[in-house]
Amino acid sequence: MISDELLKINDLHKSFSTPVLKGINLSFRRGEIHSIVGENGAGKSTLMNILSGQLKMDKGSLTFEGKSYVPASPTEAYETGISSAAQELSIIGSLSVAENILLRKLPHKWTFLSKSKLESTARQFLDLVGLENIRVNTTAENLTLGETQLLEVAKTLAITTLSESKLIILDEPTAALSGPQANKLHSIIKNLTFDGITFIYISHRLEDVRLISDTISVMRDGRIVSSASASTYLIDDMISLMSGKKFAGVLEGVNERIELGRPMLKIDQITNKYFSQPISFDCHAGEIIGIAGLAGSGRTELLKAVFGLTSIKTGKILRKTEHKYEPIKNARRAVKLGMGYLSKDRKKSGILSGHSLRINLTLPGLSFISSRLGIINEKREREVGQEYISKLAIKCSDQDQSIESLSGGNQQKVLLARWLHCNSEILLLDEPTRGVDVNAKHLIYAQLNELRNQGKVIIASSSEIDELIKISDRILVLSDFKLVKEFKKGEWTENDILATAFQEYTMSKPTVRNQSIIRDGRDHHVSN
């Protein structure tokens, strides 16, 4: 008789400079979705890296299908039946979409690569995850972050199907996805469990976790503090277990005051290779402007244009200083005029690999900690590092810790800290809480609210509509690279924003005008 237990972890330990995993005991059943939640730095990704053969444990044992399991490499884990889609993407930008999906199992005819088979098979997996509009021969580096995240999932599903994997590890699979994209992925996952495939699902979106999971295990400081049926948990319970403190709920008083200050930034009729129709809006001191829209609607492209990372064809981007409006023509000029930009893709265009937390934090603001001769005041540099480690609760062993060794959420907090250190007056934030746990999210919300009350301007793009509703004074909605509507505080509902985000897509396709959208486990009727 085949045992219901697929994988068992017994007394697993792992240390780097300090202990990270401290006696993990867990078991995973066949055909279940077992979610693991915890704050950033709790040890979730380290545990998954051990299971997928990327790290070796220091002590303990693993049993897979009743046999000892000690993976020496990801290849060995794969051959055993374990596949993984990591939070930090493994897509190779120089290869095509099709080549990335089937890299482990390239189809051959005799000794030659079968291009037709490669592309037809890849097409199936792209369609499965909702990338119907992506061409299979497109180079992967041309995809958006959300598309790349879905490509990572398509790649994992291909590995699972073609190699008969029995366990799939998904680490923050929906971090860069919109609500509809996440719902489609969840539907795929549930269907695969009917075939007996087990999923280990890691996410900071706790409502998603509660709805999709059979079992939920909570990690805190390298230990499992609770493991039970998903139906036994409320979201507040999970948060309290993750932090070890009673959850106080959403911060009160966020954005109660709506008093606009002086003009700070003017976007005047801009167009570029992405935006064929002009976009205009003004920004004033002391406001948070949310940018909403579906994945691929132009949210990231708009922030890049405003910061001068992509050129504009017509129109102007003007920074209002004390005496005049000054044009923003490139990113260097934007920084000089007090603007900061947080990319949603921290691996590609955020962190400085191979360097410490401290260097990553202080790099753009070296002038604040240097003499006139350009000599860095190391004492001041360390003071700044410690200030922001405390202020944003960055979990690390010390300031000299390698940036790559931090969890994704803690890396995100370092990147936000770098612009706070520069005292930027205008912050452009693309998915500011991507991969960040719920307690850290509220800490960041409080920090943004404090900056707003100091008279700063914050323009924040997010795929989470409820996040924008929490933090914004007004919300601009993009649909198919057009700015279609502005909502002022008190005038919006989540349904209104979602329906507006679909506007340009449904207008051009009347047959789906009254389509029903599944979001957060509920049906939302979308119409124009």
Side-chain angles (χ1 to χ4, degrees), residues 6-7 37 47 74 97 138 166 219 223 228 258 324 335 365 379 387 395 443 488 495 503:
L6 179 67
L7 173 67
V37 299
L47 178 58
V97 165
T138 298
K166 298 161 186 174
M219 288 188 73
R223 293 185 172 88
I258 308 177
K324 60 180 180 179
V335 172
K379 180 182 177 183
E387 175 187 351
K395 190 170 287 187
L443 188 152
K488 293 181 181 177
N495 277 0
Q503 178 176 308

Side-chain angles (χ1 to χ4, degrees), residues 86-91 131 134 140-153 172-178 181 295-296 299-301 304 341-349 412 430-432 434-435 463:
Q87 179 182 358
E88 298 302 337
L89 306 174
S90 62
I91 297 302
L131 292 177
I134 300 299
E141 64 188 0
N142 293 322
L143 301 181
T144 66
L145 181 60
E147 290 166 346
T148 306
Q149 187 98 52
L150 285 172
L151 178 59
E152 182 83 29
V153 174
E172 295 288 352
T174 62
L177 305 187
S178 65
Q181 286 176 317
R299 290 181 285 120
T300 293
E301 290 78 6
K304 284 185 173 181
Y341 171 74
L342 178 65
S343 168
K344 67 179 179 182
D345 191 346
R346 56 178 169 261
K347 186 175 181 181
K348 184 184 292 185
S349 50
Q412 190 78 345
D430 199 357
E431 300 285 1
R434 177 180 171 242
S463 55

Side-chain angles (χ1 to χ4, degrees), residues 267-280 301-302 305-306 310-317 481-482:
I267 289 79
D268 185 17
Q269 297 285 304
I270 66 167
T271 64
N272 65 10
K273 63 181 180 179
Y274 301 106
F275 302 101
S276 58
Q277 293 190 11
I279 289 181
S280 297
E301 290 78 6
L302 179 58
V306 172
T310 55
S311 58
I312 58 174
K313 290 181 180 178
T314 62
K316 296 177 181 178
I317 300 168
F481 293 92
K482 300 178 184 70

